[in-house]
Amino acid sequence: QVQLVESGGGLVQAGGSLRLSCAASGRTFSAMGWFRQAPGKEREFVAAIRWSASNTFYADSVNGRFTISRDNAKNTVYLQMNSLKPEDTAVYSCAATKTYYSGNYYYRMPHSYDYWDQGTQVTVSS
């Protein structure tokens, strides 16, 4: 049974940092990604990482502030979030896909992922 277990959300002041973790079990994946959804808004791509080559992809809005990484031994992906802004406030979810996509476009699309976790709240106060 596939499980994605996320941890690390919470409340932080603007300019602060948080690290999200997502531990995967049950099978191996081609890539994992992070998405977020703010109230009244659509789910949006944040970052993704290919498991084998560690290629990483970022949304423009977080590029340079967020870093996605993975630990093969722990089958865990991380999202280090620095210089947080109030507009980063959202429910963050990790996702995993079995499929290898040749173009990074696919990793930005929610429908490219097969498994999702329950999500965790990140709130950035001004």
Side-chain angles (χ1 to χ4, degrees), residues 58-99:
Y58 295 96
D60 290 344
S61 59
V62 306
N63 198 18
R65 300 188 297 122
F66 291 11
T67 302
I68 188 170
S69 61
R70 85 249 190 288
D71 184 326
N72 284 354
K74 296 181 179 179
N75 216 27
T76 297
V77 65
Y78 304 97
L79 185 68
Q80 178 66 43
M81 305 184 292
N82 298 330
S83 302
L84 282 160
K85 304 175 181 179
E87 50 264 45
D88 294 318
T89 295
V91 173
Y92 284 70
S93 298
C94 75
T97 177
K98 300 173 292 186
T99 305

Side-chain angles (χ1 to χ4, degrees), residues 33-35 43-48 57 95-97 101 103-114 116:
W34 291 95
F35 289 78
R43 179 180 287 172
E44 67 169 343
F45 169 75
V46 176
F57 314 99
T97 177
Y101 299 105
N104 64 37
Y105 163 83
Y106 297 97
Y107 295 109
R108 301 173 184 272
M109 299 295 110
H111 65 252
S112 297
Y113 294 84
D114 307 298
W116 293 80

Side-chain angles (χ1 to χ4, degrees), residues 31-55:
M32 294 184 71
W34 291 95
F35 289 78
R36 66 187 183 185
Q37 188 167 20
K41 295 188 176 181
E42 292 187 355
R43 179 180 287 172
E44 67 169 343
F45 169 75
V46 176
I49 185 167
R50 283 198 184 114
W51 210 255
S52 60
S54 292
N55 302 113

